[in-house]
């Protein structure tokens, strides 16, 4: 037996017998599984805790942008989106009151599409690079594959247990591990348990139990996504995500399997059309959303709505700006630390990009011993600022586009029209690169957002009449002011704090 095998076996014994490891990860979702696997690949001993190991059934986390796919492959987990009946996503088709524009992801040199790691072109070929692809799938199937990868890894031990609180040192604020409640298989009762690590990573999702204890910010919720699963839906553009603007708030559709298509209906809080007097959420879907959908989608949408008389499952659409990590021995990451509206499907891209960055910063070559809390703190300070180059773009774009697509004021409606006209003019390369997590440049985002604002002003001038000069400048001021209010506070909070 080799020396390496002996060490691995000894560490596995310490995990299973004494519940001790280099790292304890709370939550076996996208971020938790990915970070556990990434650190284990570096030789770290990892304990992964999950309250419920059965396949989850969630209505979001089903569309991964190309940037997320690339990060997943960097982590050696690209196989987890294979063989789960996933559907390649080539871009988005945006419908605006009956009109539509199809926007593919841009070709970017040096970036490969899904399944196109090999090419028959010679090394000096000047042919165009392949177009990047996203992937959509059943969330639970993807999570199951991630968990299987962790269960197979010799440096990871997975425990089904409910984390309830952290374990602190007696004489300092350092977090030493986590207290849990584990079901005793003999009695079926939950019993107290403890797991200890040099570093505890909390990744327990949007409804985090630990967030309030360590993060002052609370999620801001403006709406909910209500979900239906359509069977054999005839999408206008197969292989594309679809955003429908025509109801009171946007509707998102994308195929998640050979026969299944997910539809997410955004319902803002206190929406009059979804009031009990108007039939509630189901009444809104039937009376407002259904007529706004493309004709080919309506039969399957109607069938899904009539199949079940209950209110469809929902998820809150939250914005939670990122927070710098300062607690020794503990980091809170994933949706527990940073969220954005899921309209643009950027959540998994943010999570996986964060894992790639964290893996590099915490690598044994940089920090040999994770018990060195000062070194870990410095690394997390670097992490906080370095991640913003990509995550700020995805988060700001998600919140800004939602404000425009929901358009709850006259000025926002004008910006909404300007945005669609911008796309209709063929300006889609950079916007789709930003959306797909492929262009990590906040200045590009700012340039295109305010280009939309000035186009909206021009369209408003044409509609109003160029001879009404005082009114034109008044309208222009309010459009530009509204654009600034939508964009700048979120950009400041995501990029500069």
């Amino acid at each position: 037996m080799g020396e390496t095998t002996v060490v691995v076996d000894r560490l596995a014994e310490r995990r299973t017998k004494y519940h001790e490891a280099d790292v304890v990860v709370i939550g076996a979702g996208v971020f938790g599984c990915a970070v556990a696997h990434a650190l284990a690949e570096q030789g770290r001993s990892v304990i992964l805790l999950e309250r419920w190991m059965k396949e989850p059934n969630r209505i979001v986390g089903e569309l991964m942008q190309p940037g997320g796919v690339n990060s997943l492959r960097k982590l050696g987990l690209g196989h987890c989106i294979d063989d789960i009946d996933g559907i390649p996503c080539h871009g988005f088709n945006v419908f605006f009151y009956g009109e539509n524009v199809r926007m593919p992801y841009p070709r970017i040199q040096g970036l490969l599409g899904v399944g196109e790691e090999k090419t028959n072109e010679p090394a000096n070929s000047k042919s165009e690079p392949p177009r990047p692809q996203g992937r959509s799938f059943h969330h639970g199937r993807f999570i199951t594959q991630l968990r299987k990868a962790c269960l197979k890894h010799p440096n990871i031990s997975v425990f089904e247990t409910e984390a309830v609180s952290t374990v602190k040192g007696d004489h300092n604020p350092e977090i030493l591990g986590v207290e849990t409640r584990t079901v005793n298989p003999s009695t079926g009762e939950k019993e107290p348990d403890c797991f200890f690590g040099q570093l505890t990573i909390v990744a327990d999702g949007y409804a985090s139990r630990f967030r309030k204890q360590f993060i002052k910010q609370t999620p801001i919720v403006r709406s909910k996504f209500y979900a239906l699963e359509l069977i054999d839906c005839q999408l206008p553009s197969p292989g594309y995500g679809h955003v429908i603007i025509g109801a009171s708030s946007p509707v998102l559709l994308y195929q998640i399997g050979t026969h299944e298509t997910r539809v997410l209906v955004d319902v803002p809080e206190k929406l009059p059309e979804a009031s009990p007097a108007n039939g509630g959420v189901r009444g809104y879907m039937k009376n407002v959303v259904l007529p706004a959908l493309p004709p080919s989608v309506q039969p399957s949408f109607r069938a899904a709505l009539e199949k079940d008389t209950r209110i469809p499952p929902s998820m809150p659409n939250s914005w939670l700006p990122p927070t710098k990590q300062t607690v020794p021995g503990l980091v809170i990451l994933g949706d527990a630390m940073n969220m954005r509206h899921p309209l643009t499907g950027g959540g998994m891209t943010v999570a996986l990009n964060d894992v790639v960055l964290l893996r590099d910063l915490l690598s044994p070559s940089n920090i040999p011993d994770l018990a060195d809390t000062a070194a870990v703190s410095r690394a997390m300070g670097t992490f906080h600022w370095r991640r913003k180059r990509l995550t700020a773009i995805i988060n700001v774009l998600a919140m800004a586009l939602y404000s425009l697509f929901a358009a709850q004021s006259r000025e926002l409606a004008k910006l909404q029209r300007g945005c669609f006209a911008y796309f209709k003019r063929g300006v889609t390369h950079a916007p789709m690169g930003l959306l797909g997590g492929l262009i990590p440049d906040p200045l590009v985002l700012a340039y295109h957002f305010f280009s939309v604002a000035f186009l909206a002003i021009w369209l408003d001038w044409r509609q109003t009449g160029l001879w009404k000069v005082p009114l034109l400048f008044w309208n222009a001021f309010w459009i530009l002011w509204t654009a600034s209010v939508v964009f700048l506070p979120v950009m400041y909070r995501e990029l500069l704090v």
Side-chain angles (χ1 to χ4, degrees), residues 337-367:
M337 184 272 290
N338 185 206
M339 290 185 283
R340 78 292 310 152
H341 196 287
L343 175 67
T344 56
M348 288 188 287
T349 298
V350 169
L352 295 169
N353 178 74
D354 281 355
V355 173
V356 171
L357 181 56
L358 192 69
R359 174 198 65 179
D360 296 342
L361 291 171
L362 298 183
S363 68
S365 60
N366 292 329
I367 305 179

Side-chain angles (χ1 to χ4, degrees), residues 137 149 171 179 207 265 286 294 318 333 425 432 489:
F137 40 71
H171 306 292
E179 294 182 11
V265 177
K286 179 181 179 181
S318 305
L333 296 167
R425 281 164 164 76
M432 287 303 296

Side-chain angles (χ1 to χ4, degrees), residues 374-390:
V376 172
S377 179
R378 288 192 298 270
M380 293 310 299
T382 302
F383 171 83
H384 176 76
W385 293 108
R386 193 176 293 176
R387 72 188 289 271
K388 288 177 178 291
R389 186 169 174 84
L390 177 67

